[in-house]
Amino acid sequence: MIKIRIKYLLILIVVAGSFFYFTAYSSARPGQAAALQELLPQERKTVSLFESCAPSVVYITSIAVRQDLFSMNVFKVPQGTGSGFIWDKKGHVVTNFHVIQDAQAAEVTLADHSNWKASLVGVEVDKDLAVLKIDAPADKLQPVKVGSSASLRVGQSVYAIGNPFGFDHTLTTGIISGLGREITSVSNRPIQGVIQTDAAINPGNSGGPLLDSHGRLIGINTAIYSPSGAYAGIGFAVPVDTIKRLVPQIIRYGKARKPGLGIQIADDYITARLDIKGVLIVDVLKGSPAAKAGLKPTVQNVFGEIVLGDIIVALNGKPINNTNDLYRILDNLKVGDTVRLTVERDGRRRTVTITLMAV
């Protein structure tokens, strides 16, 4: 008899618990929907943008290989973290070069928290870009929607999604504070046309997407201006038009095909010490357009004296005072373009025509 009563008691407890669970669950769902409806239209738009774009953003861990001094065993340790975004269904992931710089390996974590080993496809150091590849199935990959940076306006809303300080899929908002800015890349070459934003960008945000109000990629978050190293209201993103031009080249060739003259040039501090205004040619590559145009490299004569080469002073009529001036002009040209190069030799100027080669 006691056993029967206990059995009925257990049944009543289970039924009551189930009733409470389904009642609570069913009442919570309408509450959540109601809470969403209570949001302002702009808030609902921001929530929708984040939920639709977050799956395109990844968490990147750069890994270093270390060896135990006693056991001599090799092990991997995290070296740094950053952000990136899915480029296509083939598993290509775009990030900043400095995120994976000096790493022996890298790991990509998707929005569903699955981890994938990444291989390096190629880099463009001068624009701080890198392309990785993971072997995740296509149904796990949501490529970012690619926009344009040509028609951006100061004051329009922007959204940054990344992993600052390791907090994955963090959304920050702001506006475009400025356009046409210039920052310096890892290779000390200028990156032009950079987007300035006040959306919070902190360590770990590097490589993540900067989006417009339609959730389209307009830039890759790359750098901040801050005396302390933390967010100070000034962040910079490399424009998407630069990304669209270079990433397909990196995927196809393993590097970007940049226009060049076929020369090696001296660093600015050397020309400054020599009191030279312009860009000094150190070497001319054999068979290059520069060699065909008769440009003269810097050489050492039979007496051991250094004989300076040609000094570039203008390109297409625009004055060249230093290497950055030369890079800025070349960045706006393409492989195969014909240019007029003005050089100074023995105090005299001459202009030659050169067809730019891929470097």
Side-chain angles (χ1 to χ4, degrees):
M1 188 69 176
I2 295 176
K3 290 182 178 179
I4 295 174
R5 287 179 180 176
I6 292 175
K7 180 178 179 181
Y8 283 128
L9 180 61
L10 290 174
I11 292 172
L12 285 173
I13 291 172
V14 171
V15 171
S18 300
F19 176 78
F20 174 79
Y21 171 78
F22 285 113
T23 303
Y25 178 78
S26 60
S27 63
R29 296 287 290 183
Q32 291 177 352
L36 186 60
Q37 289 302 316
E38 289 175 1
L39 295 178
L40 296 174
Q42 182 57 45
E43 291 176 316
R44 291 199 296 270
K45 183 177 180 181
T46 301
V47 171
S48 175
L49 183 145
F50 174 75
E51 291 177 348
S52 63
C53 296
S56 299
V57 183
V58 303
Y59 183 87
I60 297 176
T61 304
S62 60
I63 298 171
V65 178
R66 298 287 185 265
Q67 188 173 42
D68 187 273
L69 294 176
F70 298 100
S71 66
M72 303 304 289
N73 290 333
V74 175
F75 58 95
K76 296 179 179 180
V77 295
Q79 181 172 266
T81 60
S83 306
F85 50 87
I86 299 169
W87 183 257
D88 56 29
K89 287 281 190 179
K90 296 179 179 179
H92 292 109
V93 173
V94 178
T95 186
N96 283 138
F97 167 73
H98 74 260
V99 170
I100 52 92
Q101 186 179 12
D102 300 326
Q104 276 87 38
E107 189 176 82
V108 170
T109 303
L110 300 180
D112 64 358
H113 300 292
S114 61
N115 298 321
W116 303 86
K117 291 182 180 179
S119 59
L120 180 64
V121 176
V123 302
E124 174 45 85
V125 181
D126 294 339
K127 294 293 182 282
D128 202 359
L129 292 175
V131 178
L132 307 176
K133 191 175 188 301
I134 59 175
D135 292 327
D139 59 2
K140 278 183 171 286
L141 302 174
Q142 179 179 307
V144 69
K145 292 188 294 184
V146 180
S148 172
S149 51
S151 57
L152 297 177
R153 294 292 181 269
V154 172
Q156 74 178 77
S157 298
V158 291
Y159 305 81
I161 304 177
N163 308 289
F165 303 109
F167 294 102
D168 65 295
H169 290 85
T170 297
L171 171 69
T172 57
T173 64
I175 62 170
I176 292 178
S177 306
L179 294 167
R181 304 304 194 208
E182 182 175 296
I183 60 176
T184 303
S185 70
V186 180
S187 62
N188 291 320
R189 283 185 60 160
I191 305 177
Q192 301 179 78
V194 172
I195 303 164
Q196 179 187 333
T197 178
D198 67 349
I201 297 175
N202 287 294
N205 271 116
S206 290
L210 187 68
L211 308 167
D212 65 10
S213 56
H214 295 283
R216 297 173 300 204
L217 179 72
I218 58 171
I220 179 170
N221 299 317
T222 300
I224 60 172
Y225 175 79
S226 171
S228 65
Y231 171 68
I234 301 178
F236 300 103
V238 174
V240 70
D241 288 353
T242 298
I243 300 168
K244 288 192 296 185
R245 176 169 55 88
L246 297 177
V247 167
Q249 295 180 23
I250 296 173
I251 292 174
R252 183 173 181 180
Y253 303 108
K255 64 177 184 178
R257 289 166 54 86
K258 297 175 292 185
L261 300 165
I263 60 175
Q264 293 181 357
I265 57 179
D267 290 331
D268 286 334
Y269 80 90
I270 294 177
T271 55
R273 288 177 59 184
L274 296 172
D275 197 25
I276 293 174
K277 189 176 181 180
V279 173
L280 175 65
I281 297 178
V282 174
D283 194 16
V284 177
L285 302 181
K286 187 176 180 180
S288 68
K292 295 175 183 177
L295 296 186
K296 178 184 174 184
T298 298
V299 297
Q300 188 175 29
N301 64 20
V302 293
F303 302 106
E305 300 170 331
I306 300 297
V307 180
L308 298 180
D310 290 336
I311 301 169
I312 300 173
V313 294
L315 181 59
N316 283 344
K318 298 177 180 178
I320 303 293
N321 295 315
N322 50 48
T323 56
N324 280 349
D325 287 344
L326 179 61
Y327 292 143
R328 288 188 189 101
I329 298 175
L330 287 175
D331 279 345
N332 292 301
L333 298 171
K334 303 186 299 295
V335 174
D337 284 350
T338 300
V339 299
R340 292 174 291 105
L341 188 72
T342 302
V343 299
E344 190 174 281
R345 181 188 302 174
D346 300 327
R348 295 182 178 181
R349 293 191 175 189
R350 59 190 291 255
T351 300
V352 296
T353 300
I354 292 180
T355 300
L356 298 177
M357 64 181 290
V359 296

